[in-house]
Amino acid sequence: MKDLVLSLFPKTIFMSKLNNSKKEINEILKTLENIKTYKSYQNTASSYGNVTHASNQKNVLELLPKLKNKIFSKFNYFLKKEMAYKNDFKFTTSWISKTVNDQISMYHNHKNCMYSGVYYPDMDKDSAPLFFFQENNSSFFLEPSEHKLCNTSEVKIMPPSDAVIFFPSELFHCIGKHSSNKIRYCIAFNFFPIGNLGQADSYAEVKC
Ligand SMILES: [Fe+2]
């Protein structure tokens, strides 16, 4: 028998492109440029530095119905084909983050939702990456000779333009340092499962 190396209970994230044309991306950017943003809510007492800005508006995707449909159909592919969930989900909120040169965000996760996602219309090689972090409950911290998924607690992703990413909402994430002079727009959103959830003592019914 070959040796078995099994990383148990993964946090599964999904990234794909939406195949928007340059014209469609420009229309999306034009809409995003007109949305007011404020210093991010993450700028709490425990936050510091030059943090990204976010919109107060929590239904941004209503302004972009074609994009909303594309994101939703990609999310359903991820849910049904990759995660094999039977339930449908609904968007609860969608907002934007606007990051200019030298800005970052704090690590945070999203509550009151099961999955979250981000869409990046226009990125370049110096645009801020997205980081994911999983707390390691071990009492030991050792330096590996090589970073692999089985020995790391932080992963950096450089999303290309027109990329959408879905991730479990409890996963801690942040925007790395933005080194580009181009504004980094990101549409973020949350999903909630609907219908009959689970069974027995964990059963719940969520009406749409
Ligand atoms: Fe977030």
Side-chain angles (χ1 to χ4, degrees), residues 7 17 22 31 37 43 58 64 71 75 82 90 97 105 109 118 122 139 143 162 169 171 187-188 193 201-202:
S7 291
K17 300 249 279 185
K22 192 79 204 137
T31 301
T37 56
N43 191 32
K58 289 291 184 281
L64 297 158
I71 291 171
F75 180 62
E82 300 296 336
K90 63 178 271 191
S97 73
S105 86
N109 64 3
V118 273
D122 193 21
S139 302
E143 285 287 341
D162 197 37
S169 302
L171 204 52
I187 304 177
D201 58 359
S202 295

Side-chain angles (χ1 to χ4, degrees), residues 99-102 123-128 177-184:
T99 309
V100 301
N101 185 262
D102 226 26
M123 302 283 273
D124 67 26
K125 66 177 181 37
D126 296 319
S127 292
K177 189 177 165 188
H178 188 55
S179 302
S180 172
N181 287 321
K182 180 154 72 174
I183 296 173
R184 178 190 188 271

Side-chain angles (χ1 to χ4, degrees), residues 15-187:
M15 176 162 73
S16 183
K17 300 249 279 185
L18 292 186
N19 297 322
N20 281 304
S21 66
K22 192 79 204 137
K23 185 170 169 254
E24 286 171 314
I25 287 178
N26 284 339
E27 282 165 12
I28 291 166
L29 287 171
K30 214 185 284 172
T31 301
L32 302 188
E33 281 160 12
N34 288 322
I35 297 174
K36 273 193 116 175
T37 56
Y38 304 86
K39 203 159 187 174
S40 171
Y41 64 91
Q42 298 153 10
N43 191 32
T44 58
S46 61
S47 297
Y48 56 87
N50 186 9
V51 294
T52 184
H53 287 207
S55 66
N56 282 342
Q57 201 170 333
K58 289 291 184 281
N59 56 356
V60 162
L61 282 175
E62 297 307 312
L63 305 172
L64 297 158
K66 252 176 83 180
L67 178 66
K68 183 181 177 184
N69 282 341
K70 280 188 182 183
I71 291 171
F72 199 52
S73 108
K74 198 63 91 170
F75 180 62
N76 276 313
Y77 169 82
F78 165 61
L79 272 183
K80 312 274 163 151
K81 301 282 181 206
E82 300 296 336
M83 302 306 296
Y85 285 131
K86 290 191 282 185
N87 281 87
D88 289 327
F89 280 62
K90 63 178 271 191
F91 282 100
T92 53
T93 52
S94 56
W95 66 99
I96 69 165
S97 73
K98 179 182 172 184
T99 309
V100 301
N101 185 262
D102 226 26
Q103 287 185 326
I104 54 162
S105 86
M106 301 289 103
Y107 263 115
H108 64 283
N109 64 3
H110 300 174
K111 305 292 189 193
N112 301 325
C113 43
M114 183 170 166
Y115 277 95
S116 297
V118 273
Y119 171 72
Y120 303 94
D122 193 21
M123 302 283 273
D124 67 26
K125 66 177 181 37
D126 296 319
S127 292
L130 171 67
F131 283 97
F132 287 106
F133 173 74
Q134 175 74 20
E135 186 66 59
N136 180 353
N137 291 323
S138 167
S139 302
F140 289 86
F141 165 62
L142 302 180
E143 285 287 341
S145 60
E146 175 194 355
H147 285 280
K148 300 157 76 166
L149 279 180
C150 60
N151 64 20
T152 192
S153 56
E154 190 175 51
V155 171
K156 171 179 162 181
I157 290 180
M158 299 289 292
S161 296
D162 197 37
V164 67
I165 297 175
F166 305 119
F167 56 94
S169 302
E170 72 275 13
L171 204 52
F172 276 82
H173 57 279
C174 75
I175 302 169
K177 189 177 165 188
H178 188 55
S179 302
S180 172
N181 287 321
K182 180 154 72 174
I183 296 173
R184 178 190 188 271
Y185 282 104
C186 167
I187 304 177

